[in-house]
Amino acid sequence: MNIPRLRLQHRWQWKKRRLPLRLRLALWSAGLVLVLSFGLLLYISLIGLALVAGLGGVGAYWLAGMALRPVRKVGDAARRISANTLDTRLAVGGPKDEVKEMADTFDAMLERLERTFEAQGCFVADVAHELRTPLASLRTNLEVVATDSDATLEDYQAMAATQERALTRLERLVADLLLLATSEQPLARCEVTLGTLLEEVIVDLKPVADVQRVICRLNNEVDVVVNGDSSLLTQVFSNLVENGIYYNHPGGEVVVTLDQKDAWAVVTVADTGIGIEAEQRPHIFERFYRADCSHTRRHKGGAGLGLSIVSAIVQQHGGKVQVESTPGKGSTFTVLLPP
Ligand code: ADP
């Protein structure tokens, strides 16, 4: 076997199979162009991608800014708001989306706060006004007697009687104000047997009823137990019965009836007194409202807080208070309390 001969033959076959130079060059160039175009394409795509991402980011930022502008407005407004600028409103327009809903809620909250602050302001002014009258009376009386060198014992006694009335008004006003403050505190609830509570109210007010020559009685249909604050409920019915006694005629009556309807306790306090004019009825539960009835007021010495206390306590218990009245014939107050 001749091995060198075989090797020569193999090299010759290999040379024979090699592609022509031009074709090889063409193929190389095509490959190079392909690689270059691919690289260029990649480069362009990357730049495009970066551009799109950049533009997208700017756009998203702008859109988010637009969408969050009302939110920023709410924040700015909240920072600026004080007790003196509660009339500020955001008044966000546009579509009804979450942001508008939030701004509207904020405006509604401001409205409620504004009304509460206004009411507080009026309340403070009313309290000051109510305090001023008895205090002025105390000072005037003192000055008159103190500067009168001929003042007699009778003058001093008359002054003492006036002072006593003024002090009674002050004491009552302070007690009513304290009660109003209490009616805004959480309730100390327990089971309250209304029949017993109403009996006690009538017994406690008997001396007042006797002086006014008014008969008070309890008409107990059923005994009802409610879940409430017994001392506050006592105050509710004391105020109603006391009004029934004072805004009455000698020989008149106050009848308290206890009943139950759909598990609710129903207490009516009906009197045969002077009644309440239709135009006054919507206002009697307002703080410091008094119908023009100077004679009764002088005797009762109320500051127009009694019924607002009743209303506040009943509402706190989740109940309702209503009034029906016929001027000249009498009034009926109905208190409904949930079980
Ligand atoms: P006041 O201390 O003046 O009695 P209230 O809040 O208890 O205050 O009552 C408010 C007003 O409602 C009274 O000034 C009175 O004019 C009227 N009123 C209340 N209860 C009766 C009643 N039973 N009969 C007639 N008028 C009443």
Side-chain angles (χ1 to χ4, degrees):
M1 182 105 145
N2 194 351
I3 292 169
R5 227 183 120 195
L6 252 176
R7 268 199 198 132
L8 268 174
Q9 198 178 349
H10 180 77
R11 206 175 291 158
W12 178 86
Q13 273 176 357
W14 162 237
K15 266 190 179 173
K16 228 171 112 186
R17 260 193 276 147
R18 276 181 80 171
L19 294 171
L21 181 67
R22 280 189 187 186
L23 190 63
R24 268 188 284 149
L25 272 174
L27 277 173
W28 272 106
S29 332
L32 197 71
V33 167
L34 236 150
V35 168
L36 281 175
S37 350
F38 183 73
L40 198 73
L41 233 134
L42 201 74
Y43 182 67
I44 291 172
S45 313
L46 277 174
I47 290 180
L49 216 78
L51 261 170
V52 168
L55 280 174
V58 171
Y61 182 77
W62 181 74
L63 273 175
M66 286 278 287
L68 290 175
R69 195 184 292 167
V71 181
R72 226 176 290 129
K73 234 173 133 184
V74 175
D76 290 346
R79 258 189 301 278
R80 276 197 311 272
I81 280 165
S82 70
N84 302 323
T85 54
L86 282 175
D87 56 344
T88 314
R89 296 289 179 275
L90 301 173
V92 170
K96 264 192 172 269
D97 53 11
E98 285 79 3
V99 174
K100 181 166 164 50
E101 201 179 306
M102 185 189 73
D104 288 351
T105 312
F106 188 78
D107 280 352
M109 183 194 74
L110 282 178
E111 179 121 24
R112 281 197 305 278
L113 277 177
E114 191 185 4
R115 261 188 273 126
T116 311
F117 266 68
E118 266 172 25
Q120 294 276 10
C122 291
F123 181 65
V124 172
D126 286 341
V127 171
H129 180 77
E130 286 299 323
L131 286 170
R132 205 169 50 183
T133 316
L135 285 174
S137 153
L138 283 172
R139 174 169 288 283
T140 315
N141 271 290
L142 266 176
E143 280 171 1
V144 166
V145 178
T147 51
D148 183 2
S149 50
D150 301 326
T152 61
L153 181 65
E154 282 79 42
D155 291 332
Y156 277 100
Q157 279 171 343
M159 181 194 76
T162 319
Q163 308 288 62
E164 210 259 325
R165 276 198 298 277
L167 283 172
T168 307
R169 271 187 77 180
L170 280 172
E171 274 170 5
R172 194 182 170 119
L173 179 61
V174 172
D176 281 355
L177 288 171
L178 275 173
L179 256 169
L180 267 181
T182 317
S183 68
E184 282 162 17
Q185 308 280 313
L187 289 176
R189 285 186 189 264
C190 62
E191 289 206 332
V192 182
T193 312
L194 279 182
T196 316
L197 184 144
L198 292 170
E199 250 171 48
E200 283 168 9
V201 167
I202 289 177
V203 169
D204 289 350
L205 285 170
K206 189 160 182 336
V208 182
D210 287 348
V211 170
Q212 299 298 315
R213 285 187 283 135
V214 171
I215 294 162
C216 283
R217 60 188 172 85
L218 175 63
N219 202 356
N220 208 348
E221 301 273 320
V222 281
D223 206 353
V224 188
V225 174
V226 292
N227 185 16
D229 185 315
S230 84
S231 66
L232 289 181
L233 288 176
T234 302
Q235 194 63 48
V236 165
F237 298 112
S238 292
N239 285 7
L240 292 176
V241 175
E242 197 188 16
N243 278 353
I245 295 169
Y246 277 111
Y247 298 108
N248 216 319
H249 312 288
E253 246 195 352
V254 179
V255 181
V256 182
T257 310
L258 171 61
D259 206 349
Q260 196 168 27
K261 208 175 174 189
D262 302 329
W264 281 56
V266 184
V267 183
T268 55
V269 180
D271 65 63
T272 55
I274 58 171
I276 308 162
E277 297 292 337
E279 63 270 19
Q280 290 169 345
R281 258 172 264 158
H283 305 292
I284 58 172
F285 292 99
E286 289 169 14
R287 289 172 178 182
F288 296 108
Y289 179 82
R290 284 178 298 215
D292 190 23
C293 179
S294 49
H295 169 80
T296 314
R297 197 195 307 165
R298 207 167 46 238
H299 280 77
K300 192 186 167 213
L305 286 173
L307 287 180
S308 55
I309 290 171
V310 167
S311 163
I313 297 175
V314 170
Q315 270 181 33
Q316 211 186 359
H317 280 79
K320 288 176 239 171
V321 55
Q322 297 154 358
V323 61
E324 282 168 34
S325 187
T326 311
K329 288 203 167 162
S331 312
T332 302
F333 286 83
T334 306
V335 174
L336 295 125
L337 292 170

